[in-house]
Amino acid sequence: MIEQIARFRVVRENIPLRRGLAFLIGGLLIGGIAAKLLMRGTGQIDLADVPLPSRIERSCTPVTGKTAIIVVHGQSNAANYGTTRHTAREAVDNFDPATGKCFVAADPLLGADGIGGSFATRLGDILIQAGRYDRVIIVPLAVGGASISVLNNEGAELLTNGIAKLKTAGLTPTHILFQQGEKDAILTTSAEQYVSLLHQLVKRFRAAGFDAPFYLSRSAKCDYVEPKNMAAVRAGQRAAVDEALNIRPGPDTDTIGNDGRNPDGCHMNEAGTLANAALWAAFIK
């Protein structure tokens, strides 16, 4: 784990060095402990056999200057595909795009597919415990296996509905996190195509009047599908950063190695989910 920490490269925007490293190293150390505990177990729990959590509704409003409203978009590693579930310990809520209501954040988060855990639930706890915010509202929009083209075309209704429901609820995002690319890494998407499609997606938010910083991760690792197009996708993710559209660099989640992932080398185990949350926390002001 020490060697893994040394390999992590955290890009920071106006975030003090010590604070960014504290989030990252703290999350990785916790993740390392979790990984050891998991290895001592008798085997992976089949989440399909675990009942879904009870949903406790809370009012979405009022919000204050100390409330973060975080949209989480992308594919499986931004959705509920982690191996373990987590219920927020702090004032973290889950905005459900289907009903337009808020609930106590508990994995699997409403709004994204998958039956496991999400890094976003843990991220909310981290941000509040660090004193960044008093309340965090997570808005999940991610769907497993979606390419950037699908998110812009046949899957665009997910985003359109999410925007509409947020407007109806009177909620304006403060941050938009986008973690995607594994699907395009097995396709033939060029760097130029990725940039064009990513900008189209961001413009959907901008056209709705949502001007929150759009943080774009560098994500393409999913070993079991033999990604042969990683270089182009990662190049596109670097090139898509755009000041005019307020697209900012996010974490390099590919630096989470296989000790933080399932045997498929793709989806996150408990250690990887915690590390993913810590990586994102270093970018959120």
Side-chain angles (χ1 to χ4, degrees):
M1 181 56 67
I2 297 299
E3 290 79 9
Q4 185 183 23
I5 293 173
R7 291 197 302 269
F8 269 61
R9 295 178 296 172
V10 181
V11 180
R12 294 164 299 276
E13 280 195 357
N14 301 319
I15 298 173
L17 175 61
R18 285 178 294 179
R19 177 177 291 182
L21 289 175
F23 279 126
L24 176 57
I25 295 173
L28 288 172
L29 291 175
I30 294 170
I33 294 170
K36 292 178 181 178
L37 291 175
L38 285 170
M39 287 188 289
R40 293 174 188 165
T42 57
Q44 179 64 47
I45 297 173
D46 185 353
L47 290 175
D49 297 330
V50 179
L52 293 173
S54 300
R55 301 297 179 180
I56 302 172
E57 185 176 352
R58 283 204 286 231
S59 175
C60 292
T61 56
V63 298
T64 71
K66 292 285 284 182
T67 301
I69 302 173
I70 304 175
V71 173
V72 180
H73 198 16
Q75 60 178 109
S76 57
N77 281 324
N80 300 307
Y81 283 76
T83 57
T84 57
R85 296 175 183 166
H86 175 74
T87 296
R89 297 181 174 88
E90 307 295 338
V92 184
D93 291 332
N94 173 191
F95 179 81
D96 177 19
T99 63
K101 297 179 179 180
C102 289
F103 300 86
V104 172
D107 295 334
L109 293 178
L110 300 168
D113 68 342
I115 62 171
S118 169
F119 79 82
T121 315
R122 294 156 175 82
L123 172 63
D125 276 346
I126 291 172
L127 294 175
I128 294 173
Q129 290 165 1
R132 296 279 194 91
Y133 295 95
D134 293 336
R135 183 187 184 198
V136 175
I137 301 175
I138 304 295
V139 185
L141 296 176
V143 57
S147 68
I148 189 69
S149 178
V150 165
L151 293 177
N152 266 293
N153 293 289
E154 56 264 44
E157 175 57 27
L158 181 71
L159 177 54
T160 302
N161 173 70
I163 289 172
K165 290 295 175 57
L166 283 168
K167 283 182 167 291
T168 299
L171 299 177
T172 300
T174 57
H175 308 78
I176 303 169
L177 314 185
F178 190 74
Q179 184 169 332
Q180 188 275 340
E182 297 91 341
K183 182 67 174 182
D184 290 276
I186 66 171
L187 301 176
T188 58
T189 310
S190 68
E192 294 76 16
Q193 288 170 329
Y194 196 94
V195 172
S196 176
L197 288 165
L198 191 281
H199 285 186
Q200 287 179 38
L201 187 146
V202 174
K203 287 175 182 176
R204 295 177 186 273
F205 286 103
R206 304 313 184 214
F210 291 166
D211 298 323
F214 186 104
Y215 293 93
L216 173 61
S217 74
R218 292 176 64 194
S219 305
K221 174 179 166 58
C222 192
D223 294 352
Y224 82 96
V225 292
E226 298 183 15
K228 299 177 181 179
N229 195 38
M230 288 181 67
V233 171
R234 286 173 60 83
Q237 290 164 345
R238 287 194 302 270
V241 172
D242 185 276
E243 184 176 356
L245 288 171
N246 201 7
I247 302 173
R248 307 181 184 185
D252 186 343
T253 65
D254 286 350
T255 55
I256 300 176
N258 285 345
D259 56 343
R261 300 181 186 248
N262 292 341
D264 61 11
C266 186
H267 300 120
M268 307 292 179
N269 58 27
E270 175 69 2
T273 303
L274 287 166
N276 201 11
L279 281 169
W280 277 111
F283 285 82
I284 295 177
K285 294 187 286 185

